[in-house]
Amino acid sequence: MAAVELRGISKSFIEGSFPALKDIHLGIPDGAFAGILGPSGCGKTTLLRIVAGLERPDAGEILIAGQVANRIPPRERNVAMVFQNYALYPHKRVYENIAIGLQLRGVSKERIAEKVEAVANMLKIETLVDRYPKQLSGGQQQRVALARALVREPEVFLLDEPLSNLDAQVREATRSELKKLFRGIKATVLYVTHDQTEAMMMSDYLIVMDRGVIRQAGEPTHIYRDPAHRFVAEFIGAHRIISVPGRLQNGRFQSADEAFGFDTPMRVTSEVLMAIRPENLIPESQEEIGLQGEVVLIEPMGPTNLISVKVGQTEWRMCFARRPIEGEIMGFSFSSSNALFFDAKSGLRLKPGN
Amino acid sequence: MKKLIFSIAIASILLYCLFPFFWTIQTALKPAGTVFRLPVSYLPETISLENIIDVFSKRPFGRYVLNSLIAGGGATILTLWVAAVLSFRLRALDLRRALRIQRWFLVGAILPPALLVIPVFVVMKQLSLVNNYLALILAYTALNLPFAVWMLHAAFRQIPKELDEAAVMDGFSQSAILYRIILPLSRPSLAVTAVLVFIFCWNEFILALSLMPAQSKYTVPVGIALLSGASGYEIPWGEINAAVALTTVPIILVIAAFQRWIIEGLTTGAVKG
């Protein structure tokens, strides 16, 4: 059963302006850690707020645990949210911050004390319960915000960029912890982020959004290998994908700058964008399709270097252990099976079958 | 050198502001017969509580203080409560709309209270509220509301909206959000607003004079103005000054009590912008 299901959700904030969400259909499997990924302004936070009930959709249905939730007020939706800036009550101690949701739901004092203690132990904040939020570090505040959500044991957790206000080091540690934590309690989580690494590493189910629409949803590795849209291909991946404009005709790709061409199993005739991931380029080798060009930029990354080689109008980036000199002519190659084709106009993926 | 000039400037301004206050107090403490004695003595040779005792024993000054406390206190509480509810609603609107509405409140604040005396009196008469504390409380509330809304709306805007949203998710109702989150977090601004509104009510004269004509309902300023001597030609300066000096006491106490919050309230806006 889907823990959260959205049917045809649309939302625009100002009448007639660009909609924040356009006809969203989505099912989050029960117990999944679902990452909602996209650039800022793509509607991902709006989507989360609609599930929370903080925002009303213009059209469409929200189902939580199989029940239509459109008319259910947020407090009765059995969802808990962790806000980007934590939104802790500054005038209440940590204990009260965590407990207040239960207090307002009429849970008995002893039961609350028990639950708060359990959650505080789980998040290792048991020594902080008597402090005020401003006496805590960012990471600690974030744990309190999490505790406030966890203590209610909701059907669905909604996390709005919970790591974005943390230092890089704390963020990395918290990232792994969060994943373990939510796996441990088998909770359904909707996790909004604009960081593709975070989304790839944490999600069981990934939703890639752009300009109010879902470009692709599915398993992260599947999305990585088989992107359905040019936007997805460009947004996901540790290194930006290389894309070359060109034309497909008679089973052959010809780049627009006439720098190279190769045979493909593609049968369509169209203006396209050929895309290939930097990790699929093999430097200093002559495989199926070999190219060579001038090294224009070297970006050292520790164990390897990110090398940019200019061929025609395109800069090809690849990882290479050896450090070449700028201006050097370097060869590299790739296999045509790793090349992805997208329609130049619609951005949709073209596959050999169609 | 600069520092010295600055100190002298501050000292002279303070002297200028505080001298009348000092003069009032020292006159109040002079024995009744010596108030007009020449040459002028700037420090009383003998301190006498005669005037202060007279004000309470010979005149119903205690009653006036009580009246002022009821009218001023009631108006302050009512003003804060109404302004808090209004500001909370204004905060829910987007800023431009909220400010447009708030501007209309200011129109009310532009009118001088003296202009309102007759219409307000007629209305209160119709409501049979003349000589009733409610008349003053309602009038003072109406007069102070624009200012109070101005202060509280600005204060509430500083509280991030996410806090409300977190509260909604936690199960707070809208009124609980106002009373249990917004108000506790706005304490400094509430204190400043309360003190200023209370001072206005405490000092207000013309409405108090016209809406509470019975002597038993005089507020302090009215009572002082109408203090009269044995004959029409005698002005009891000593007692008047004693009453004036006493009048400032509650204000000083209120400010002292809220000092920490007032300073916080006056400075928070400056830092956060």
Side-chain angles (χ1 to χ4, degrees), chain B residues 165-214:
Chain B
E165 291 174 344
V168 165
M169 303 293 295
D170 266 340
F172 281 92
S173 65
Q174 284 300 309
S175 59
I177 291 176
L178 173 60
Y179 296 123
R180 295 179 59 180
I181 295 172
I182 305 286
L183 288 186
L185 288 176
S186 309
R187 266 191 317 215
S189 303
L190 285 171
V192 174
T193 313
V195 168
L196 294 176
V197 169
F198 185 76
I199 290 175
F200 170 90
C201 299
W202 188 257
N203 293 333
E204 204 283 333
F205 176 73
I206 190 85
L207 281 169
L209 177 70
S210 45
L211 294 177
M212 308 278 257

Side-chain angles (χ1 to χ4, degrees), chain A residues 170-189:
Chain A
V170 186
R171 191 185 320 168
E172 210 158 296
T174 316
R175 186 165 64 199
S176 329
E177 263 177 55
L178 273 184
K179 186 167 181 171
K180 271 188 231 155
L181 175 76
F182 284 109
R183 176 141 309 159
I185 59 174
K186 297 188 177 65
T188 309
V189 181

Side-chain angles (χ1 to χ4, degrees), chain B residues 141-155:
Chain B
T141 302
L143 282 173
N144 282 299
L145 212 47
F147 162 74
V149 167
W150 194 269
M151 290 285 291
L152 294 187
H153 183 209

Side-chain angles (χ1 to χ4, degrees), chain B residues 118-134:
Chain B
I118 294 167
V120 168
F121 180 78
V122 171
V123 170
M124 292 306 170
K125 182 90 186 154
Q126 292 292 321
L127 294 169
S128 332
L129 286 178
V130 174
N131 280 327
N132 189 322
Y133 293 113
L134 210 51

Side-chain angles (χ1 to χ4, degrees), chain B residues 34-50:
Chain B
T34 64
V35 170
F36 291 107
R37 203 163 62 191
L38 286 170
V40 176
S41 63
Y42 286 90
L43 289 170
E45 291 113 45
T46 48
I47 289 183
S48 123
L49 296 177
E50 191 186 338

Side-chain angles (χ1 to χ4, degrees), chain A residues 313-328:
Chain A
Q313 300 295 315
T314 314
E315 281 183 19
W316 300 67
R317 290 172 303 280
M318 63 204 83
C319 292
F320 191 20
R322 184 173 78 81
R323 186 168 178 169
I325 322 157
E326 273 182 31
E328 183 182 318

Side-chain angles (χ1 to χ4, degrees), chain A residues 19-35:
Chain A
L21 294 173
K22 275 186 281 192
D23 194 28
I24 299 285
H25 290 267
L26 181 65
I28 312 279
D30 204 3
F33 194 110

